[in-house]
Amino acid sequence: MPVAPLSQKEIEDRLAELPGWSLDGDRLTRSYRLGSHFAATAMVVHIAQVQEELDHHSDLTLGYNTVSLAVNTHSAGGAVTELDFRLAHRVQELAPVHGAH
C-alpha cells in the first residue's frame, strides 16, 4: 500500500517528539555516540533487526563509537512519511539499552 508524504508542518510537529532527530534535506537523520565500538556495532545489529521487522530500511553508518541513520521512503519518491517516523521512534526506544546518547 502506498504511503503519503508528510507536509512540512507534520514533519516539524513529529520531530518535536524526537529529541536529537532532524530533517536534513529530504531525510530524517540522527547520530548517536556510544561507549565503544562494540556497543555501536551491537546497536547497528539491533537497528537492522527492527528495520527487517518493519520492512523499512535506513542508511545506517557505523563509526568507531557512533551510529548514524538517514531515512526517507523510496516508494514515496524519497519523501518523509509515517514509515520513517515509525522507524525513528523504534530506534529512539532502543538507544538507551545500548547506552547511546
Side-chain angles (χ1 to χ4, degrees):
M1 174 179 358
V3 289
L6 297 174
S7 71
Q8 188 67 31
K9 172 81 167 106
E10 289 172 312
I11 292 169
E12 290 169 6
D13 289 347
R14 290 172 188 235
L15 279 173
E17 302 169 4
L18 287 167
W21 287 82
S22 60
L23 185 65
D24 184 8
D26 62 351
R27 306 170 123 214
L28 296 182
T29 63
R30 171 78 201 256
S31 291
Y32 292 93
R33 183 168 301 280
L34 294 97
S36 68
H37 181 67
F38 186 79
T41 302
M43 185 171 169
V44 165
V45 170
H46 198 166
I47 292 169
Q49 289 172 328
V50 169
Q51 291 180 144
E52 285 298 306
E53 178 187 320
L54 296 176
D55 192 26
H56 190 61
H57 302 83
S58 68
D59 287 338
L60 187 55
T61 305
L62 171 64
Y64 168 70
N65 65 342
T66 59
V67 174
S68 299
L69 296 93
V71 63
N72 61 11
T73 303
H74 300 288
S75 63
V80 174
T81 70
E82 175 61 33
L83 293 173
D84 305 308
F85 278 97
R86 216 177 291 163
L87 176 59
H89 275 284
R90 291 287 301 277
V91 171
Q92 194 76 3
E93 290 170 359
L94 70 81
V97 173
H98 296 279
H101 57 277

